[in-house]
Amino acid sequence: MATSKTSLLLLQLFLLAAGVLSEDVIFHFENQCPYSIWLSSNPPIGDADPESPPYTLEIFIMPDTWTGSLWVRTKCSNDQDYHFTCETGDCGSGTIFCDSSPPALPVTLLNFAINNSVVHYALSLVHGFNIPIRIQPDGGHLVDGGFGLCPTVDCVQDLGNVCPSFLVAKNKDGAYVGCYSACDALKSPEYCCSGSDCQPDQYSAKFKELCGSAHVYPGDNTPPTYGCTGFYTINVTFCPII
């Protein structure tokens, strides 16, 4: 059952009264997908519950300082030998917990750099797409020379609608489960670039049309990686409602 708004408000008021919200970086991980997902990170973030059933919310206190990536695994299960695997985002641990191993591609990545009260955040499709995601700070203002509100970044469209056949990731039954980046799929210098001269290719340009606030190719810095402080929470929503 999803966490009720009343219960969430009471918990937030309790944390505020206890002085927690003024010091800790609190993330809300909300799964709005109609299926379970498994949260993963590299490096580990601590004791977050990896499995999120449909339409549930987890409130999690992040480490004071942490730089890394979050992603989710989908369609996970144990085989007859109790070896745990996932159709997308699998980290190769064989269990519901990842062990700092990178994810199997393609995968939507959430990149964070946390330094106490300041959080830098970006959404990346550089290594493909497996699930729609939104990062939305609750309140706060920009750092790094800006004083505007902390922006939302997201990719809420299913790139499967525009993913060319040779970039489609399939499960063992041949069904679509995600979309590779052209670089990861074709491994050609035409699509794999680095440095300031890196430009979008025809496929990453199409992804950018649908997910304008995400980084879609190496060197993409439009929009920049935002830095936010003074926020109440960082809300991360999986399969957000458009």
Side-chain angles (χ1 to χ4, degrees):
M1 178 182 296
T3 302
S4 70
K5 296 294 185 181
T6 301
S7 297
L8 177 59
L9 178 61
L10 290 174
L11 176 59
Q12 290 174 331
L13 290 174
F14 170 78
L15 292 173
L16 181 62
V20 174
L21 291 183
S22 63
E23 299 176 359
D24 293 322
V25 176
I26 296 180
F27 274 40
H28 288 178
F29 296 117
E30 184 172 4
N31 179 19
Q32 293 184 353
C33 304
Y35 49 82
S36 290
I37 58 175
W38 285 260
L39 184 67
S40 314
S41 63
N42 187 8
I45 58 174
D47 296 327
D49 188 352
E51 183 176 2
S52 295
Y55 312 115
T56 56
L57 170 70
E58 179 178 6
I59 301 172
F60 185 75
I61 299 177
M62 293 289 286
D64 292 339
T65 57
W66 184 84
T67 298
S69 297
L70 299 173
W71 70 94
V72 296
R73 295 165 285 167
T74 64
K75 303 295 179 65
C76 302
S77 61
N78 286 301
D79 63 17
Q80 60 184 6
D81 297 320
Y82 296 97
H83 186 80
F84 188 80
T85 58
C86 305
E87 288 188 355
T88 70
D90 192 87
C91 56
S93 67
T95 74
I96 63 171
F97 298 100
C98 287
D99 55 3
S100 297
S101 299
L105 307 180
V107 68
T108 312
L109 290 174
L110 301 91
N111 297 325
F112 293 99
I114 300 172
N115 186 5
N116 295 306
S117 63
V118 177
V119 174
H120 286 83
Y121 59 99
L123 184 65
S124 174
L125 305 181
V126 173
H127 291 297
F129 169 92
N130 73 327
I131 190 173
I133 296 177
R134 173 177 290 141
I135 306 172
Q136 186 174 24
D138 182 1
H141 59 83
L142 291 170
V143 296
D144 301 331
F147 292 97
L149 298 177
C150 300
T152 296
V153 298
D154 60 21
C155 182
V156 300
Q157 302 288 340
D158 187 346
L159 296 189
N161 296 325
V162 298
C163 188
S165 58
F166 58 89
L167 297 183
V168 169
K170 300 178 181 180
N171 63 14
K172 61 182 180 181
D173 298 319
Y176 167 87
V177 294
C179 186
Y180 288 102
S181 70
C183 174
D184 291 330
L186 304 177
K187 304 187 185 305
S188 167
E190 179 182 358
Y191 305 107
C192 300
C193 55
S194 61
S196 59
D197 59 345
C198 190
Q199 299 296 320
D201 56 63
Q202 59 181 312
Y203 307 111
S204 60
K206 177 60 70 173
F207 298 163
K208 195 73 168 184
E209 288 180 13
L210 293 180
C211 299
S213 61
H215 295 164
V216 300
Y217 62 92
D220 184 6
N221 196 36
T222 306
T225 298
Y226 293 118
C228 185
T229 192
F231 52 85
Y232 192 55
T233 58
I234 300 292
N235 301 324
V236 177
T237 306
F238 308 106
C239 303
I241 299 172
I242 298 175

